[in-house]
Structures are given as structure tokens and as C-alpha cells.
Amino acid sequence: FRTFLKMVLKHLDPSQAVPRRVREALDILADGLMIIGLDERILLANTALSAVAGFEPQQMLGKDASSLGFRVHGIPMSLPWETCLELKSVISGVPMQIDTADGLRSFNVNCSPLTGNEGQHRGVLVTFDDVTLLEEKTLQLSLARDDAQAASQAKSDFLANMSHEIRNPMNAIVGFTDLLRRGLDINVDTRQEYLNTIHASGQHLVGLINDILDLSKIEAGKLELEMRRCRPHQLVAEVMNVLGMKAREQNLDLHHEIVGTIPETISTDPTRLRQVLMNLVGNAIKFTTTGSVRIVMDLPHATQPLLRFRIIDTGIGMTPEQCEKIFDEFVQADSSVTRRFGGTGLGLTISKQLALAL
């Protein structure tokens, strides 16, 4: 039907009245269509094009075609019907856009010369193929592809980091255990130092495995919470006791502050809240070489029962771009951070999910 209609239109004389049956056939089409004369004024436009342009069909007649608001997409060139009028040849597949009440619409525009009964060039037939949805799908596929590639790269980086994180403590455990097994002449202090290193390496591996298991539980929706009353002062004191030695080793001042009045007890899962605080404070200590790390507790809103924990440090800080991706799985601020400070990039991912769960 469309092919036949275009054949009819190509031999239509724009200088004469358009037959009613042709007008009715044009209005059936879902694609926009117009005929313009040699002066680039619209002689005929169907309902589909009128709706896109935001006019009634009768209002379109006599308008300058360039005043409709269509613009060539990303290509510095004249409008396709102008080129068609000038060259008297077919112009196909020109990408154009127009702003409508429903948003930006995209079209592939095709132009064909029209001749009168005497064979003279009298105007141009212009058709508009709506490709808005196609472009949106193409963009979505492109974004999905980019996300998939980024996820693949992140997992590759994670596996590389994980092998490094596992290899170092395992080498320490195997190496110092082998020294102790040989029964060499080792004094008590040295033996105790070896045992401490083995213990610390084992603790590191246990923490690493726990992080992976927690992430698996969260992704599988099997994270279980045990909500009960607990004392926030006690939770913070426990975190400071565990991480205080590491802070002292780095000559950092680790302390906590209470701003205003906070409740003696709160309702939460103390194990999970402690885990979040351990991750945040541990990160603060890891990325701070001089200065201090503070844990600040307060009630930011007097009318809301919401206790806030802020971890404030004098460490290396982050750029806005790094802040946007620090909660992504297997991702750290950048590769230089991984090389310098180690880590797998799971701590903040788990902390965020635990905070949302609570």
C-alpha cells in the first residue's frame, strides 16, 4: 500500500488540488508525510506529521517547511528537502529531530522530487520514519554493553586483587609455620613474633572469607537480622578497642565524640552495626597516614529517632568521581589505591547493603 501510494504521489501535480481519496489515504499512514512546493511551503501534510509538529492539518498548509522545528541531527548541512529541490534527486535516510510535548523525537527523512503532468519539477514528497524507540533501544543496549564490560573488568580486577590479598597472608602463614617446624634456634621473643604474624594473617583470611560470604548472602536475599536493644556507646567502645592498636601503630589519634544528647539504648542488629562501623573506621585508619580518626555520634533531627554515626579522618580524601563508584562491588577508588593500600573493594559495598537492610 505504501509503495503504491508513493508511486501515486510522485506523479501528483502539487500545483493542483489533491484528490480527496489521496488525502484520506495519507491520513491512514502512521508515518509523517508532506508535500512542499518550489517555494518550500507546505501544500499537503497528513495527520501523523501534524500531530508531531503540534498543528492542526489545515494549519500546516502554506507554512514554510523549515518553520516546523525539524533539525538535522549532528550533521552541519541544509535541510534535506532544500537539497532535494536544488539537486532534483532523491535524498534518503537523513537523521532529523524535533522537540515535541512528549520529548525529543527522532526520524529518518526521505525526500523524492515530484513532477507535474508536463514532466516539470513541481515540488518534493517528504516522508518521516519515526526511529525514536529504535534509537532509545540502541542507546539502552549500548549502555548495557558498557555496564557489562565495566562489570567484567571490575570482576577481573577483583580476582587479581583477591589473589594478591590471599597470597600474602598465606605466604606468611606457610613461611613462618615452616620456620617453627624446623625447630631452628629461635628465641622466645622471635617465636612469639612468628606466632603473632601467623595469627594476624589467619585473621585477615577469615575476614576476607566473611566478606565474600556476607556479599553472597546479601545478593541471594538471605541476610538475616537480629533486631534487639543495644547500647551505642558500648558498640563504639568495642570498635575502638579492636582498631585502637592499628591506629597507635600508625601514630593516629582515634577517639569518639558525642554531640548533644543521644539515647542510652537503640534497636538494631548490634553485630551488623558493629560490622559497618568496623569497615568504616578501618578504612579511615587505612587511608590516613597522619592526624586523627574521629567517630562522632549525634541526633541530626530533633523530631526523628535517627542516630547518626560520622567517621571523620584527615586521610587522602576522594574526588567526586571516586565517590560515585566506591559502593560498587569489587571496585576501589582507582588502581593506584589498590596497589598502595590493598583491599578487595567489598567493604563499602557490604556496609551500604547492611545499612539499607537495617
Side-chain angles (χ1 to χ4, degrees):
F1 173 77
R2 290 180 58 188
T3 303
F4 171 75
L5 184 60
K6 286 184 178 181
M7 289 175 62
V8 172
L9 290 172
K10 284 182 180 180
H11 295 87
L12 187 70
D13 190 343
S15 64
Q16 300 179 7
V18 179
R20 178 180 176 183
R21 65 181 183 279
V22 176
R23 289 180 178 275
E24 292 175 347
L26 294 180
D27 288 335
I28 295 174
L29 292 177
D31 293 337
L33 182 147
M34 69 178 178
I35 295 176
I36 62 174
L38 297 179
D39 58 357
E40 298 184 23
R41 296 199 174 273
I42 299 173
L43 303 175
L44 182 147
N46 69 348
T47 303
L49 180 63
S50 302
V52 170
F55 297 98
E56 293 295 329
Q58 291 303 316
Q59 294 177 326
M60 298 279 286
L61 301 182
K63 276 187 172 294
D64 188 331
S66 62
S67 69
L68 296 181
F70 286 93
R71 59 184 183 273
V72 179
H73 176 45
I75 304 175
M77 60 178 289
S78 60
L79 297 172
W81 47 84
E82 296 175 349
T83 306
C84 184
L85 283 170
E86 180 182 352
L87 301 179
K88 298 181 177 58
S89 61
V90 174
I91 305 295
S92 302
V94 178
M96 301 192 75
Q97 293 181 323
I98 185 173
D99 288 313
T100 69
D102 298 325
L104 193 65
R105 300 275 293 275
S106 299
F107 297 87
N108 279 339
V109 180
N110 306 294
C111 302
S112 301
L114 291 178
T115 55
N117 293 329
E118 70 284 359
Q120 294 181 355
H121 187 59
R122 293 296 186 87
V124 176
L125 166 67
V126 187
T127 60
F128 298 81
D129 296 329
D130 194 335
V131 294
T132 305
L133 290 178
L134 180 62
E135 286 197 351
E136 289 177 355
K137 294 295 183 184
T138 302
L139 178 60
Q140 291 173 4
L141 287 173
S142 177
L143 293 175
R145 181 197 61 202
D146 293 343
D147 289 344
Q149 290 176 345
S152 176
Q153 183 61 44
K155 287 195 175 184
S156 297
D157 293 342
F158 166 74
L159 291 175
N161 297 339
M162 184 68 71
S163 62
H164 175 77
E165 288 291 311
I166 293 176
R167 186 186 301 114
N168 284 348
M170 284 302 299
N171 285 340
I173 292 172
V174 172
F176 287 113
T177 302
D178 189 50
L179 290 175
L180 293 173
R181 286 180 58 197
R182 292 182 188 179
L184 300 178
D185 186 16
I186 302 175
N187 59 45
V188 175
D189 292 339
T190 303
R191 183 181 293 107
Q192 187 61 43
E193 180 183 347
Y194 288 175
L195 290 173
N196 290 339
T197 301
I198 293 172
H199 181 267
S201 299
Q203 290 290 99
H204 177 78
L205 287 174
V206 170
L208 192 61
I209 294 170
N210 285 337
D211 280 349
I212 297 172
L213 292 176
D214 284 340
L215 184 63
S216 299
K217 288 180 182 178
I218 292 170
E219 291 184 338
K222 296 182 179 180
L223 179 68
E224 297 180 359
L225 300 176
E226 183 186 356
M227 306 298 288
R228 57 187 175 87
R229 306 297 298 184
C230 65
R231 299 176 60 195
H233 305 76
Q234 181 178 351
L235 282 177
V236 171
E238 291 172 358
V239 171
M240 293 183 62
N241 287 337
V242 174
L243 298 176
M245 181 178 295
K246 185 172 180 59
R248 288 191 293 273
E249 289 175 354
Q250 298 179 206
N251 294 319
L252 299 178
D253 180 21
L254 175 63
H255 62 279
H256 75 283
E257 300 175 11
I258 297 176
V259 178
T261 304
I262 66 171
E264 183 176 352
T265 63
I266 59 174
S267 178
T268 186
D269 184 330
T271 302
R272 296 304 183 182
L273 177 55
R274 186 187 302 106
Q275 184 177 355
V276 172
L277 292 175
M278 289 285 288
N279 275 330
L280 296 178
V281 178
N283 265 3
I285 294 174
K286 180 165 69 172
F287 295 114
T288 302
T289 54
T290 59
S292 64
V293 175
R294 290 184 293 149
I295 308 172
V296 180
M297 292 184 288
D298 67 342
L299 292 173
H301 306 290
T303 59
Q304 295 182 14
L306 182 67
L307 179 62
R308 177 172 63 179
F309 295 86
R310 284 180 291 161
I311 315 302
I312 304 170
D313 63 64
T314 57
I316 61 175
M318 288 180 289
T319 64
E321 293 74 20
Q322 291 170 338
C323 289
E324 290 180 359
K325 61 182 181 180
I326 57 173
F327 292 109
D328 295 343
E329 294 177 9
F330 316 124
V331 174
Q332 290 187 301
D334 55 49
S335 57
S336 63
V337 169
T338 303
R339 289 192 300 269
R340 181 179 173 189
F341 296 99
T344 59
L346 292 178
L348 289 182
T349 300
I350 295 171
S351 296
K352 179 180 179 180
Q353 296 301 325
L354 291 177
L356 292 174
L358 291 170

